[in-house]
């Protein structure tokens, strides 16, 4: 099908299927694990919780979460991994056969294939800036998060880390480049509360002879890692308790 007649989601599916077939799904664990583990510590996952991994790729982070929520007094915590690439989903399922508390679903952030008010926590690693319609994705997240559910959006590409801008032109699909402040505003516009952000440095060592195609130099890659990824955190309000001064009849 010619590129012009494909939808933005179909282009993303095609591009990330290509990544998956080239083995990039598994390789991303090496690139994202350090910042993701730091994020998981902030997520304070508890046994019994229901978690969404949006843009789960090959599912390595989904499996880390599944272990943390597995067994608890409130039952068996569940993790749902959603990705627009059916090939990523196939690889994630194949690598997660021993897990009883993971379900991988092929679908888009613009139409999350799940019921409303369900997830206690949400993680999205290096995926959010690809979503063509981020407003629509946030409306969907608002729908599927449980009241008081907490979201954790981790991205390496954002305006405040100038080094990350070096690889925008190398990507084959369009991306959003916003600042941390713009993301905070966007989340608030969608009625999320307790919106905050931190920068998460990647402190894995980079060998001096490391070959990088994404950055102008190894020094720039090191500076990018030192400055770190952007972690956005936000909660869905608790609609079960009316706001002060407001009476529900
Ligand atoms: C850079 S990869 C990161 C994958 C994984 N989170 C990781 O860290 O290894 C981005 C992922 O987001 C997925 N993705 C991109 N756009 C999406 C969308 N609109 N809806 C759902 N997933 C999407 C891609 O298919 C891909 O697997």
């Amino acid at each position: 099908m010619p590129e012009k007649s494909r939808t933005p989601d179909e282009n993303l599916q095609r591009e990330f299927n290509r990544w998956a077939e080239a083995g990039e799904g598994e390789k991303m664990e090496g690139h994202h694990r350090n910042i993701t583990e730091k994020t998981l510590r902030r997520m304070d996952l508890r046994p019994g919780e229901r978690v969404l991994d949006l843009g789960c790729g090959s599912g390595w982070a989904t499996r880390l979460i599944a272990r943390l929520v597995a067994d608890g007094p409130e039952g068996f915590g569940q993790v749902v991994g959603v990705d627009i690439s059916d090939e990523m989903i196939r690889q994630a399922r194949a690598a997660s056969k021993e897990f009883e508390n993971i379900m991988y679903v092929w679908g888009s952030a613009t139409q999350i294939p799940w019921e409303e008010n369900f997830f206690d926590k949400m993680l999205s690693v290096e995926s959010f800036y690809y979503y063509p319609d981020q407003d629509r994705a946030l409306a969907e997240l608002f729908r599927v998060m449980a009241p008081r559910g907490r979201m954790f959006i981790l991205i390496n590409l954002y305006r405040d880390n100038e080094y990350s801008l070096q690889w925008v032109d190398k990507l084959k699909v369009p991306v959003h480049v916003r600042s941390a402040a713009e993301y905070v505003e966007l989340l608030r516009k969608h009625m999320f509360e307790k919106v905050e952000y931190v920068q998460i440095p990647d402190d894995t060592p980079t060998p001096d002879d490391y070959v990088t195609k994404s950055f102008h130099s190894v020094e720039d890659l090191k500076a990018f890692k030192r400055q770190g990824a952007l972690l956005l955190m936000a909660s869905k309000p608790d609609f079960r308790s009316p706001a002060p001064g407001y009476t529900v009849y």
Side-chain angles (χ1 to χ4, degrees):
M1 198 192 290
E3 192 173 339
K4 278 198 181 135
S5 52
R6 286 196 295 265
T7 65
D9 272 4
E10 283 166 346
N11 278 330
L12 284 165
Q13 178 188 7
R14 204 180 146 97
E15 174 63 3
F16 284 104
N17 275 351
R18 208 178 54 77
W19 284 40
E21 279 152 15
E24 293 296 330
E26 283 167 29
K27 274 194 220 153
M28 281 189 278
E29 175 169 4
H31 299 311
H32 304 157
R33 185 153 176 149
N34 181 275
I35 54 173
T36 301
E37 281 178 344
K38 290 174 180 162
T39 302
L40 290 176
R41 286 200 280 280
R42 285 176 180 268
M43 286 177 77
D44 189 24
L45 291 162
R46 303 290 169 95
E49 286 185 327
R50 296 158 157 185
V51 187
L52 171 64
D53 182 1
L54 188 59
C56 61
S58 65
W60 58 271
T62 324
R63 292 186 285 279
L64 291 178
I65 297 169
R67 289 195 186 91
L68 293 167
V69 299
D71 230 343
E74 299 194 22
F76 211 52
Q78 290 170 262
V79 198
V80 176
V82 171
D83 202 284
I84 202 156
S85 155
D86 48 315
E87 189 52 39
M88 288 284 188
I89 290 290
R90 255 191 294 282
Q91 292 185 6
R93 284 184 187 148
S96 309
K97 289 203 174 108
E98 76 274 24
F99 287 83
E100 291 177 17
N101 62 336
I102 297 182
M103 183 180 277
Y104 292 106
V105 189
W106 174 48
S108 168
T110 50
Q111 197 169 358
I112 298 174
W114 210 262
E115 67 189 80
E116 59 196 37
N117 297 322
F118 189 86
F119 294 105
D120 302 303
K121 306 259 168 80
M122 190 287 290
L123 174 68
S124 180
V125 179
E126 273 298 274
S127 187
F128 197 76
Y129 54 81
Y130 289 108
Y131 303 162
D133 188 344
Q134 291 183 318
D135 279 299
R136 175 76 197 261
L138 286 172
E140 276 295 89
L141 282 167
F142 196 93
R143 182 181 66 76
V144 299
M145 294 304 292
R148 290 195 285 167
R150 187 101 173 124
M151 306 201 302
F152 297 79
I153 299 173
L154 182 63
I155 46 173
N156 260 327
L157 176 58
Y158 62 110
R159 194 166 297 286
D160 314 64
N161 186 338
E162 63 189 282
Y163 300 98
S164 70
L165 310 183
Q166 292 182 11
W167 31 275
V168 172
D169 291 342
K170 301 190 170 122
L171 295 167
K172 296 206 172 68
V173 281
V175 288
H176 294 275
V177 182
R178 297 186 198 268
S179 66
E182 284 166 350
Y183 273 119
V184 166
E185 199 180 311
L186 188 66
L187 285 157
R188 289 202 178 123
K189 188 180 97 183
H190 281 272
M191 303 302 289
F192 286 99
E193 57 182 31
K194 297 182 192 153
V195 182
E196 50 190 321
Y197 72 87
V198 286
Q199 286 177 289
I200 310 266
D202 176 345
D203 43 34
T204 53
T206 306
D208 288 331
D209 58 357
Y210 187 85
V211 179
T212 168
K213 287 194 200 128
S214 307
F215 294 88
H216 298 331
S217 68
V218 178
E219 285 318 308
D220 282 2
L221 166 60
K222 287 182 183 173
F224 158 79
K225 287 166 77 171
R226 266 196 308 277
Q227 195 152 335
L230 175 67
L231 173 61
L232 294 155
M233 295 162 282
S235 300
K236 176 167 167 174
D238 186 358
F239 284 131
R240 286 170 302 198
S241 44
Y246 184 80
T247 314
V248 178
Y249 293 101

